[in-house]
Amino acid sequence: MHASNEVRVFVKQFDNTIRNTNDIANLKSICEDIKRLIKYENETELKSFSFSNYSESRACFIRDFYMSVLKSALNNISTDTTKQLSAHALNDFLQFLFLNGNYKDSLLTLAWGINEFRPSYRLNKCVSLLEEFLSSHVLCKILKQQCSITSQVEQTYVWDELINAVTSLPDKTANKLQSQNSELFYPKCYITLVTKDIITVLDDMVISVKADKDVHLEFISRLIGKLCITGYADILMEIWKWYGLMDKFLGDSILKKQKIQYLLCTKILLFRHSEKIHILQNVLGYLGTSHTRRHLLIKSFKELLSVWGDNSAIRHTSPEQHMYLTRALFISLGFLTDKDKETHKDGRLLITKRITFHDSNYEYIVMTILRYIEI
C-alpha cells in the first residue's frame, strides 16, 4: 500500500477514536501513537505501526496529514473529553501536538480555531495553546523554515496564508474575545514579540551567510511589509532602534523595490507622524549611511523641505505633523556632508522662498536650518 494511503487509514482511525471518547483505552493508545509518530524519526521506534516504509510514512504524515489531525483534535475536544482523558493528560497531548511536528500547520490551525469557534472550551483551548505557542517562540522555527525556501508559484499561497495569520491575529482575538482578550494579543505586546522573533532569525541568517550557506529572506520581507501596511510600522521601528538592523535586513532592496521606497521615503516621512524620534532616525539613518542610498536621502530631504514650507501644507496639517517634519529635517541634516551641502545649494533657496509662510515662532528653526546648510 502506498505511504499516503497507509497514513490516511491511521489518521481516520485517530479521528474515529477521538470522536468516541467512551473508549478510554483506545483513546489513550492512539494519542500515544500520535506522539511517538511526531517525536521519533528512527524506524526502530515505529515498529508498532503497520507502515511499509516508516520514514516515508512519517514524512507524509507531517507534511500532508498534520493539519487534519490538528483540526480533528480541536473539533472533538470538550469538557467531556477531560472526564475520559484527565485534564492534565489532555493538555499534555495537545501541547505536544501543537508545539511539535508541523509548526506552520499548528499556527494556521490555531488561527482558524480563533476565527471558527464560538465562546467555548474549544475557543479557550485555542487561546491557551496560541499563548504557549508564541511565548515558546515557536514562530522563530516557522520563520527559519521559510528562510530555507525559495519563492515558487505553489509556495506563494502558503506564504500568503501564513502572513495573513500572523498579521491579523491581534484583530481576530480582539473581535472574538473582546473584554476577555489576552494581553499577549494586544498589538503592542504581540507585535513586539513577533518583531523580536524576526530579529532573532535575522541574526541566525547572518551567521548562516558568514558560513557560506544560502538563505532566502523573501518571506520575512513580505511579512514585515504586511505588518507595516497593516498599521504596525511605528511599533516595528520602535523596536528596531538601530538603523544598522534595517541595513542588515533590507540592504539595497529599496533601490529595486518601489513599494519599499514608497513606504520609507514617502509614507513614513511625509504622510505619518509620531512622537517617537527613533522612527525617523532609523529610516533616515538607513538612507544616509550608504553611498548607494545617499541620493534617496537628498531626494527625501528636498521633499521634506518642500512640504515643510508649503503654504497649503502649513495651513492644513496639525502642529504635531509639522513638528514631525521639522524633526525629520534636522535628522536629515545630520547625515549631510559638506560636499552634499555644496552640491545641493538649492535647498537653501527653497527655504528662503518658503520662509514667509511661517510665523515668527519658526524663525529660530529656519535660521538653524539655514546655518546647517550654509557653506
Side-chain angles (χ1 to χ4, degrees):
M1 187 183 293
H2 193 273
S4 62
N5 292 330
E6 293 177 339
V7 175
R8 185 176 288 106
V9 170
F10 173 75
V11 171
K12 184 65 176 176
Q13 181 186 356
F14 170 78
D15 186 63
N16 291 336
T17 303
I18 201 168
R19 287 173 185 271
N20 180 21
T21 55
N22 293 324
D23 191 345
I24 302 174
N26 202 18
L27 179 60
K28 289 181 178 179
S29 175
I30 196 73
C31 287
E32 286 302 315
D33 284 345
I34 290 285
K35 289 172 69 173
R36 286 192 298 114
L37 190 57
I38 295 169
K39 185 176 182 180
Y40 296 114
E41 298 183 31
N42 192 320
E43 291 187 8
T44 306
E45 302 291 345
L46 303 176
K47 288 295 184 182
S48 61
F49 292 93
S50 56
F51 296 147
S52 303
N53 185 308
Y54 302 110
S55 58
E56 184 181 340
S57 295
R58 180 186 181 277
C60 178
F61 170 75
I62 298 294
R63 183 185 64 246
D64 300 328
F65 291 90
Y66 206 77
M67 186 175 285
S68 297
V69 171
L70 295 171
K71 286 189 175 182
S72 177
L74 287 181
N75 274 322
N76 292 290
I77 60 169
S78 66
T79 52
D80 290 337
T81 314
T82 61
K83 296 175 183 177
Q84 309 301 328
L85 196 66
S86 71
H88 175 76
L90 179 61
N91 288 336
D92 180 68
F93 171 67
L94 290 175
Q95 281 201 359
F96 188 90
L97 188 63
F98 279 89
L99 301 186
N100 297 276
N102 190 320
Y103 308 115
K104 169 181 65 67
D105 282 358
S106 292
L107 177 60
L108 292 175
T109 302
L110 289 172
W112 165 84
I114 294 290
N115 195 55
E116 183 76 10
F117 297 133
R118 296 177 179 178
S120 61
Y121 178 82
R122 294 185 182 93
L123 179 60
N124 292 339
K125 186 55 64 177
C126 277
V127 172
S128 64
L129 286 169
L130 198 49
E131 287 177 321
E132 184 68 26
F133 187 95
L134 294 169
S135 300
S136 300
H137 301 285
V138 181
L139 182 61
C140 280
K141 297 178 181 179
I142 295 177
L143 298 178
K144 287 179 183 179
Q145 287 176 342
Q146 303 312 308
C147 286
S148 65
I149 300 173
T150 56
S151 178
Q152 299 172 352
V153 175
E154 61 270 20
Q155 192 63 32
T156 301
Y157 175 75
V158 177
W159 279 359
D160 287 344
E161 264 197 314
L162 266 175
I163 290 170
N164 286 334
V166 172
T167 56
S168 65
L169 204 53
D171 286 339
K172 282 185 176 180
T173 54
N175 291 335
K176 180 57 71 76
L177 303 175
Q178 298 183 8
S179 62
Q180 302 300 315
N181 196 12
S182 167
E183 289 186 7
L184 182 62
F185 303 129
Y186 290 177
K188 174 71 173 179
C189 184
Y190 174 77
I191 300 301
T192 297
L193 187 151
V194 171
T195 304
K196 288 182 177 179
D197 280 353
I198 290 173
I199 292 173
T200 297
V201 173
L202 289 177
D203 286 338
D204 288 344
M205 294 303 104
V206 170
I207 294 172
S208 296
V209 170
K210 289 180 179 178
D212 292 328
K213 296 179 181 178
D214 290 337
V215 299
H216 306 278
L217 298 180
E218 184 175 350
F219 175 79
I220 291 185
S221 177
R222 291 187 183 193
L223 174 59
I224 292 175
K226 186 63 179 287
L227 286 169
C228 291
I229 292 171
T230 308
Y232 301 124
D234 289 356
I235 302 176
L236 278 165
M237 293 298 179
E238 183 177 347
I239 298 167
W240 288 0
K241 293 184 178 180
W242 176 49
Y243 49 75
L245 283 173
M246 292 186 66
D247 182 57
K248 181 190 292 186
F249 172 64
L250 294 175
D252 280 340
S253 60
I254 192 172
L255 305 177
K256 304 173 184 176
K257 303 283 188 179
Q258 285 299 315
K259 286 185 178 180
I260 297 177
Q261 189 174 136
Y262 171 76
L263 176 66
L264 296 182
C265 298
T266 303
K267 190 170 183 179
I268 289 179
L269 293 183
L270 301 178
F271 296 155
R272 299 180 66 87
H273 68 86
S274 171
E275 294 182 359
K276 299 177 175 65
I277 196 170
H278 50 258
I279 293 175
L280 292 172
Q281 290 172 331
N282 280 334
V283 173
L284 295 168
Y286 166 71
L287 297 177
T289 52
S290 169
H291 70 280
T292 58
R293 301 188 293 266
R294 288 194 64 79
H295 68 284
L296 292 177
L297 175 71
I298 302 298
K299 177 174 176 286
S300 298
F301 176 67
K302 291 181 178 180
E303 289 176 350
L304 283 165
L305 276 176
S306 179
V307 175
W308 180 81
D310 183 77
N311 184 25
S312 176
I314 292 170
R315 291 174 179 172
H316 295 94
T317 57
S318 65
E320 292 80 10
Q321 175 70 32
H322 214 64
M323 179 57 71
Y324 180 81
L325 293 173
T326 305
R327 286 172 173 168
L329 282 173
F330 271 101
I331 294 170
S332 299
L333 288 168
F335 290 102
L336 294 182
T337 64
D338 290 343
K339 183 179 179 181
D340 293 328
K341 297 169 188 176
E342 177 66 31
T343 305
H344 303 282
K345 285 185 176 181
D346 53 327
R348 179 181 175 84
L349 296 175
L350 181 59
I351 293 180
T352 304
K353 289 179 181 179
R354 301 294 191 184
I355 193 171
T356 56
F357 295 132
H358 288 78
D359 60 35
S360 58
N361 292 331
Y362 281 89
E363 182 177 354
Y364 172 75
I365 295 174
V366 172
M367 296 310 297
T368 302
I369 295 176
L370 287 173
R371 188 164 60 251
Y372 258 102
I373 65 174
E374 186 175 13
I375 305 302

